[in-house]
Amino acid sequence: MTRDDITLTLPGWIGEFVAGCGAGFDGDEAKMGFVIGLARRNIEAGTGGPFGAGVFEIESGRLIAPGVNLVTSANCSLAHAEMVAIGIAQQRLGTYDLSSGETAYELVTSTEPCAMCLGAIPWSGVRRVVCGARGADACAIGFDEGAKPDDWVGSLRERGIEVVCDVLRDRGQAVLQQYLTSNGEIYNAQRD
């Protein structure tokens, strides 16, 4: 039997988690606290890797779409938190280009984007990216973040995408360490 469709489903706990956080988020730290909370809950529920993300309206702080890493639970290497959040936002808003309307959107991610997610950001249409932990922090526990340009921030800025790094980095690092100490699966690990 072959399957011609792909369906990614957010874990059941997401709805309650989002509802408990209120309607809007004021400032980068509030948004980052939310996506780090998603990552932590994803670990505790055993529903995926230690990464969370969200697409927000820049001006209002309204959450458009949450995302968590579903690589292991969905058996899909594409299901990184950023990719999930971007995909859900585009579906909810009815557009593959989040820059096509009057409202500007941002991607907030508990750890800076890997090579795959970095490649998707310009095509998504987000105008701003906010990162918590660094890629080096993910590599420190064994993840392979892929080949990224040394100046990946500059490459996004050249495309008109603002980038803010190290927002609540210590809390993002703590979630990665929690995953490691809980024996979470380090999938696509660094290879010698």
Side-chain angles (χ1 to χ4, degrees), residues 1-189:
M1 178 178 189
T2 62
R3 297 218 34 188
D4 295 330
D5 63 334
I6 296 173
T7 302
L8 294 176
T9 304
L10 288 173
W13 57 262
I14 291 259
E16 185 177 318
F17 186 90
V18 170
C21 292
F25 297 86
D26 187 25
D28 291 346
E29 288 192 1
K31 294 172 207 165
M32 185 59 67
F34 170 76
V35 301
I36 289 172
L38 285 173
R40 185 176 307 284
R41 182 72 180 102
N42 206 36
I43 295 168
E44 292 165 354
T47 48
F51 306 101
V55 173
F56 298 84
E57 287 182 354
I58 292 174
E59 192 170 312
S60 71
R62 183 172 73 97
L63 175 68
I64 302 302
V68 292
N69 181 284
L70 302 172
V71 170
T72 57
S73 59
N75 293 313
C76 181
S77 64
L78 302 175
H80 289 204
E82 299 93 332
M83 303 292 278
V84 171
I86 289 167
I88 291 171
Q90 291 172 333
Q91 290 284 300
R92 285 186 177 161
L93 296 170
T95 181
Y96 60 86
D97 182 358
L98 297 176
S99 68
S100 63
E102 293 180 21
T103 304
Y105 299 96
E106 65 187 338
L107 174 68
V108 179
T109 179
S110 64
T111 302
E112 76 181 42
C114 69
M116 175 179 67
C117 297
L118 175 63
I121 287 170
W123 307 122
S124 72
V126 297
R127 304 300 348 140
R128 187 168 189 261
V129 177
V130 180
C131 309
R134 293 283 179 130
D137 301 328
C139 290
I141 68 164
F143 283 103
D144 183 352
E145 294 295 280
K148 293 182 352 187
D150 290 336
D151 188 18
W152 64 271
V153 171
S155 69
L156 289 180
R157 287 183 177 151
E158 285 177 11
R159 291 175 170 264
I161 301 168
E162 180 186 352
V163 179
V164 178
C165 295
D166 298 329
V167 176
L168 303 180
R169 181 179 179 187
D170 57 337
R171 289 178 53 191
Q173 289 171 315
V175 170
L176 294 171
Q177 288 301 315
Q178 177 185 351
Y179 188 70
L180 181 64
T181 59
S182 68
N183 295 316
E185 182 179 354
I186 306 295
Y187 54 87
N188 296 341

